[in-house]
Amino acid sequence: MKAVKEAQRLGFTLEEIAEHARLTGVGRAHEAVRTRVAQKLDEIDERIASLRRVREELARVVGCACDSLDHCTCGAAFLARGGRDPRLGKLLHVTNGESAGNTLRQTTLGGAVLSWQDVLHEGPVPDVAPAELRAVRARFLSECGWGSERSLLESFERRDRLYEQALEADTSVVLWFEHDLYDQLQLLQALALAGDARLELIQADSDLGPLPPDGLEALWPQRRPVSRHTRVLARETWDAFRAPEPTGLVELAGRDTPALPHLGPALQRLLEELPDAQTGLSRTERQLLEPLLDGPRRPAELYLASQAREEASFLGDAWAWKRLAELVPLVEELPAPPPLGDAREFLSARVRLTPLGRKVLAGEAGRFEVAPVDRWLGGILVDGTWRWDAATRRLLQPGRPSG
C-alpha cells in the first residue's frame, strides 16, 4: 500500500500502477509500458529540475545557500524545521554575516555555518552577563527598526546556543573574521564566550564577503589554533570595550598584538568615534558633514564620500543615515531614515548644512553644546565627557582642556 501511495504521489495513475505490477510480476514488460515509464521518468526529471529552480529562487530571497536545511543555521532554515536546531556535524564555520556565510556554504569545505550578525560598534554593549547582554542588544536593534525585540532576542539566543553546543561537542569550530572594526569586535565576543574550548582562527586582511567560494577555500590552509595568549588578550579587550570609560581601550590600541594583528587599528578607529577635541564631532559625523561645505548632497552621496575616506570598511549605509539624521540642527530637518522611515523619501532628500553646522565644523561652536545627543560606544555613554584628540592620538581626561 505504501508503494502505491508513493507512486501516486509521483504522478502515476492507479491504472498505470496496476499494469506495472502485473507485468513486473511475470518478469517482463512490453514495449508500450516501457515507453510510458520512460515518459514518466522524463516528467519526474522535469519536476525535479523545476523544484530545484524554485528552491534556488526561494533560497536567494531568504539569503540561504545551503544544500539542505537540516544543517543550516539561518533563520529561514530554523523556521522550516519548526523551531528545531540543526545537526551541526563535525565542522562549524563562524563568520561575520550572511554574505560570507552563504559563500562558505557553497564551498567544498563542508560543515555548518553560523553568522554572528551584530553591529557591536553601534549601541550599548555593557559589562553584563551574556543573557542580559543579548536582551540589551535585541532591545536596541529593535528600537532602530531591525525587527521585533522578541525575534531579535531569539536569534541571539539561538546563535549563542549553537555556538556553545559546538564547543562542548566533538565539533571543529573555525572562526573566519576580517580586519575591520565590525569583525574584530565580533571576534572578541566569540573568543570571550569560548572560554578554553578548542578553536581555530582564520584572520583575513581583506573583506570576506566579495570573495567567491574558491577564494574562501584558498584561505583554509591559513587557519591556526587559538592560543591561550590570544584568549587572554581577547578577554581583556572585550572587558575594556564594555567598560564605562575608554582608558583601557587606549592602552590596548597602542599595544603590539601579533596574536590579533588587526586589533590595534580597529581599536584606533573605535576611539575616533568619540567626540573630537575641537568640534565635538566623531570622525564619522565629520566625514558626513564636510562635503556639505560645497553644497547640498543626497544621503547616498554623503555615505559613499565618507566610506572613501576609511582605511577599512566601516559602518553600513543605514547606520550612517541614522547618524546623519541625528545631526539636526547642524543640517536641515530630514525625513526619518530607513529602516524606521521610508527609504525612497529619505534617499531623495537633499541634505543641507545650516549656519550652525558651519560654525561647528569651523570649531566656532561645540557639537554637544548646540546639538546634544546621547549614544553608546560599547560600555561608554558618549555625551561629550570623553574627548579624543586624533592628531596626537590622546584621550582627554574629563574637565581637562585640549591644549
Side-chain angles (χ1 to χ4, degrees):
M1 189 63 179
K2 184 177 179 181
V4 170
K5 288 188 177 296
E6 180 66 16
Q8 282 183 296
R9 191 178 68 82
L10 293 173
F12 286 93
T13 66
L14 287 173
E15 181 180 359
E16 290 170 334
I17 295 168
E19 185 173 9
H20 173 70
R22 179 176 61 79
L23 291 172
T24 53
V26 298
R28 63 186 179 85
H30 57 70
E31 191 65 29
V33 174
R34 286 200 298 271
T35 300
R36 284 202 297 274
V37 171
Q39 291 172 342
K40 191 61 66 176
L41 284 172
D42 285 341
E43 291 175 18
I44 292 171
D45 286 341
E46 176 56 34
R47 190 176 303 171
I48 291 172
S50 177
L51 287 171
R52 286 189 182 277
R53 289 193 295 272
V54 171
R55 188 198 188 285
E56 288 171 1
E57 179 62 19
L58 291 175
R60 183 188 66 78
V61 171
V62 301
C64 176
C66 279
D67 291 332
S68 170
L69 295 181
D70 283 344
H71 300 281
C72 186
T73 62
C74 77
F78 184 75
L79 292 174
R81 291 190 301 268
R84 290 181 292 104
D85 286 336
R87 299 194 302 271
L88 292 178
K90 296 294 185 182
L91 174 62
L92 176 67
H93 306 279
V94 180
T95 192
N96 56 12
E98 285 301 332
S99 178
N102 276 331
T103 310
L104 274 169
R105 294 181 180 110
Q106 299 172 42
T107 65
T108 62
L109 301 174
V113 179
L114 183 63
S115 299
W116 209 252
Q117 297 284 81
D118 195 3
V119 188
L120 291 164
H121 53 67
E122 291 293 321
V125 189
D127 186 7
V128 294
E132 187 176 349
L133 180 57
R134 290 191 290 266
V136 169
R137 295 301 298 167
R139 189 179 311 115
F140 166 74
L141 293 171
S142 178
E143 290 170 353
C144 293
W146 296 105
S148 73
E149 185 175 340
R150 178 180 176 180
S151 64
L152 288 163
L153 179 58
E154 289 175 348
S155 176
F156 286 140
E157 289 173 342
R158 184 167 65 251
R159 178 199 70 188
D160 290 358
R161 182 173 65 249
L162 292 172
Y163 184 54
E164 289 167 5
Q165 287 174 358
L167 293 172
E168 293 170 358
D170 187 23
T171 300
S172 295
V173 179
V174 181
L175 309 178
W176 299 68
F177 287 99
E178 301 164 15
H179 60 305
D180 57 54
L181 177 60
Y182 175 80
D183 275 51
Q184 289 296 297
L185 293 177
Q186 291 185 352
L187 174 59
L188 293 175
Q189 185 180 23
L191 289 173
L193 285 174
D196 296 326
R198 182 171 59 88
L199 290 165
E200 291 183 308
L201 173 61
I202 293 173
Q203 302 188 73
D205 55 9
S206 60
D207 294 346
L208 294 170
L211 291 179
D214 58 354
L216 292 178
E217 290 176 10
L219 296 175
W220 185 245
Q222 297 181 19
R223 69 193 188 281
R224 296 291 183 271
V226 176
S227 67
R228 181 180 176 279
H229 174 70
T230 303
R231 297 169 197 271
V232 171
L233 174 62
R235 177 81 254 179
E236 181 183 1
T237 311
W238 180 242
D239 289 344
F241 172 61
R242 298 185 298 156
E245 58 182 48
T247 50
L249 289 173
V250 175
E251 191 275 326
L252 285 159
R255 190 190 299 180
D256 184 24
T257 58
L260 296 174
H262 307 303
L263 184 60
L267 294 181
Q268 288 286 350
R269 184 62 188 90
L270 179 71
L271 289 165
E272 289 172 347
E273 287 306 286
L274 290 170
D276 71 20
Q278 286 73 39
T279 67
L281 296 169
S282 71
R283 175 176 169 179
T284 292
E285 291 169 336
R286 191 171 63 254
Q287 289 177 173
L288 290 171
L289 288 177
E290 285 178 343
L292 297 174
L293 290 168
D294 297 326
R297 297 285 190 275
R298 305 283 187 194
E301 294 178 89
L302 294 174
Y303 172 70
L304 292 175
S306 177
Q307 293 306 293
R309 296 169 64 177
E310 296 286 351
E311 295 80 18
S313 298
F314 180 72
L315 208 65
D317 51 8
W319 292 108
W321 296 331
K322 177 180 182 294
R323 194 74 65 82
L324 186 61
E326 291 172 350
L327 286 169
V328 175
L330 307 186
V331 297
E332 293 182 1
E333 197 69 37
L334 291 168
L340 290 174
D342 181 81
R344 183 174 298 180
E345 181 184 9
F346 181 80
L347 292 175
S348 64
R350 293 185 70 79
V351 187
R352 291 177 171 83
L353 195 64
T354 65
L356 186 57
R358 290 181 178 275
K359 290 183 67 176
V360 169
L361 279 173
E364 298 169 1
R367 186 253 194 278
F368 279 87
E369 286 70 36
V370 299
V373 61
D374 289 343
R375 61 182 177 85
W376 290 88
L377 194 64
I380 306 162
L381 177 60
V382 182
D383 58 2
T385 300
W386 293 95
R387 301 296 182 105
W388 179 251
D389 189 329
T392 62
R393 294 189 174 183
R394 186 165 57 94
L395 182 69
L396 302 181
Q397 299 292 335
R400 286 183 58 183
S402 60

